[in-house]
């Protein structure tokens, strides 16, 4: 640790420059007293800096659920990782759980590689030399609460899943280890940034119970039953749409984000990814509830003991409708009010075939007995501007430097911004420009937008107020309807980014598929994506006849995930979305 003497006490010239930058001068007679008080603050900070770190014992007790059992990991070989969906392989389970079987007993799960898993490297999808000087990658010493919860529920963690570089892309071609392929069509995007999680679930779905569309599944490698994902603009929902699985971005603050790499706190969501509606509800039952540490969790967030068992609630609602004779293809959605979000069909780049598949899927609700009508929220089309203006100015602080991290007060977190992490340099720039220029854009735009002479803090404050306006606009629509339905992505999964793409083309490509997902990150509404049909790959080449899943997003009231699960389950009484080949 560098001592105070080595760092040097602040000199009066430094304070003079600070004062000058803010438009005033220190009076000579005041300088000694200001200098002494600032030096006192400096001394306190440097005193604490030298103290041994402290982690709340309650947090340690929650996280180290497997006691002293050693954890090991391996880097998967190409032969066991044909889709590049695995980051690291491991086998972690709790030595014992409660007397009764856990909710996830017998299920395998992958944890996204931006989550703290004790004893297993965490890369956040980026090159390890960006994170550590003297070891391959940061290795956390404790588990994030969501990791503890899946272990306590009896799941077996069989590995961490590949994610996009710094988790900043909604495609699947920027990871340091290479692209993650879509299981339905190699060479095509699995979506991002939770790309590996979606691909691994799709593998098991295709092998165990899904249609394969003529694909040979023997060469897809090992999959998982469940996975966790993170979502700051669509990073759960886009991969779910592209891979034909189910993904939920829960209400903001419902699932603790403690111990997970942050992009920006008001956008940070963690949620379940699964092969069925009920499995999605089951995993949410395990993940949700207040953890005592994450400030994203508001007083609305339920305590663990009062967190709904979403799968049980779904079972009860289905049983009640079945007993009443209404759980049928003619009446399963009776009583639901479904709004088709008009502006979601007006976004740039929306493919006509995807729009038609989702409109047909939305119309099925009427055949199932629901009240269905179009609803307009004009501000939906302005959401990307509101999103950017409200968050981009401070995004690099969280993404690259770990400053202002709302989880840093809870536990020593190895990524990003750790003391061992090297400073950004030319090698970092060259690597990121080649793999994911969005990260460089985040750094440059953050620095620019924090220039108070150019963009006063009032500009961001105004954007945050418009985020509240956007939330109120959706709330108004949801006062008339139980759920809103819309296309999850503008197209089916595209080919991976071409090597000939320039910086501007790449950055647009990496985010162009989030126009219908990112609005609900800034407003906090829950969004569930489910597969509802197929669309042609349509690239004009040899894959012209290939078909890929189309996803529909169902958005609900905040903390009303139960209605999303009911609506999705009712829709499937008419047949699963991928049933037709």
């Amino acid at each position: 640790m560098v001592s105070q003497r080595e760092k040097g006490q602040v000199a009066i010239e430094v304070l003079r420059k600070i004062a000058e930058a803010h438009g005033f001068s220190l009076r000579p007679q005041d300088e000694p007293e200001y200098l002494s008080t600032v030096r006192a603050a400096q001394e306190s900070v440097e005193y604490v800096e030298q103290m041994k770190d402290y982690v709340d014992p309650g947090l340690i007790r929650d996280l180290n659920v497997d006691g002293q059992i050693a954890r090991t990991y391996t880097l998967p070989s190409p032969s066991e990782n044909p889709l590049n969906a695995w980051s690291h392989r491991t086998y972690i389970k709790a030595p014992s759980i409660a007397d009764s079987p856990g909710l996830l007993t017998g299920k395998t799960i992958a944890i996204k590689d931006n989550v703290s898993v004790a004893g297993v490297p965490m890369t956040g999808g980026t090159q390890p030399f960006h994170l550590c000087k003297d070891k391959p990658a940061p290795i956390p010493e404790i588990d994030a609460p969501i990791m503890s919860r899946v272990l306590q529920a009896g799941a077996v963690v069989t590995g961490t899943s590949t994610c996009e570089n710094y988790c900043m892309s909604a495609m699947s071609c920027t990871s340091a280890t290479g692209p993650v392929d879509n299981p339905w069509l190699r060479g095509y995007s699995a979506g991002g940034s939770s790309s590996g999680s979606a691909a691994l679930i799709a593998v098991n779905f295709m092998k165990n119970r899904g249609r394969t569309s003529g694909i040979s599944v023997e060469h897809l490698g090992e999959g998982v039953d469940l996975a966790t994902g993170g979502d700051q603009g669509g990073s759960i929902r886009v991969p779910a749409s592209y891979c034909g699985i189910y993904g939920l971005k829960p209400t903001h603050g419902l699932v603790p984000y403690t111990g997970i790499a942050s992009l920006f706190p008001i956008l940070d969501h963690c949620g379940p990814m699964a092969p069925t509606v009920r499995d999605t509800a089951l995993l949410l039952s395990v993940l949700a509830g207040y953890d005592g540490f994450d400030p994203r969790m508001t007083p609305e967030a339920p305590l663990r003991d009062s967190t709904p068992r979403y799968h049980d609630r779904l079972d009860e609602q289905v049983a009640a409708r079945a007993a009443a004779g209404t759980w049928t293809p003619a009446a399963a959605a009776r009583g639901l009010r479904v709004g088709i979000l008009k502006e979601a069909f007006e976004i740039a780049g929306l493919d006509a075939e995807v729009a038609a598949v989702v409109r047909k899927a939305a119309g099925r609700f009427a055949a199932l007995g629901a009240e269905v009508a179009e609803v307009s929220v004009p501000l939906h089309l302005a959401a990307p501007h509101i999103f950017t203006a409200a968050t981009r100015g401070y995004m690099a602080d969280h993404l690259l430097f770990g400053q202002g991290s709302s989880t840093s007060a809870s536990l020593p977190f190895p990524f990003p911004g750790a003391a061992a992490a090297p400073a950004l340099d030319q090698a970092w720039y060259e690597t990121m420009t080649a793999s994911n220029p969005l990260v460089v854009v985040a750094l440059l735009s953050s620095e620019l937008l924090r220039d108070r002479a150019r963009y006063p803090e009032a500009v961001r404050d105004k954007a945050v107020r418009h985020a509240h306006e956007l939330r109120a606009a959706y709330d108004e629509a949801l006062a008339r309807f139980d759920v809103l339905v819309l296309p999850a992505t503008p197209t089916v999964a595209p080919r991976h980014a071409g090597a000939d793409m320039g910086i501007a083309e790449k950055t647009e490509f990496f985010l162009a598929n989030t126009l219908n997902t990112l609005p609900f990150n800034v407003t906090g509404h829950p969004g569930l994506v489910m597969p509802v049909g197929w669309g042609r790959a349509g690239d004009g080449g040899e894959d012209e006849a290939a078909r890929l899943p189309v996803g529909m997003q169902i958005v609900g009231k905040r903390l009303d995930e139960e209605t999303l699960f009911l609506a999705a389950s009712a829709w499937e009484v008419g047949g699963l979305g991928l049933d037709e080949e």
Side-chain angles (χ1 to χ4, degrees), residues 292-310:
F293 299 98
D294 185 4
R296 298 170 187 80
M297 309 190 87
T298 70
E300 294 178 310
L303 298 176
R304 284 288 284 165
D305 290 344
S306 57
T307 299
R309 288 170 65 101
Y310 296 95

Side-chain angles (χ1 to χ4, degrees), residues 92 169 209 235 303 480 482:
I92 304 172
S169 161
R209 49 189 303 174
S235 289
L303 298 176
R480 297 165 50 200
D482 298 303

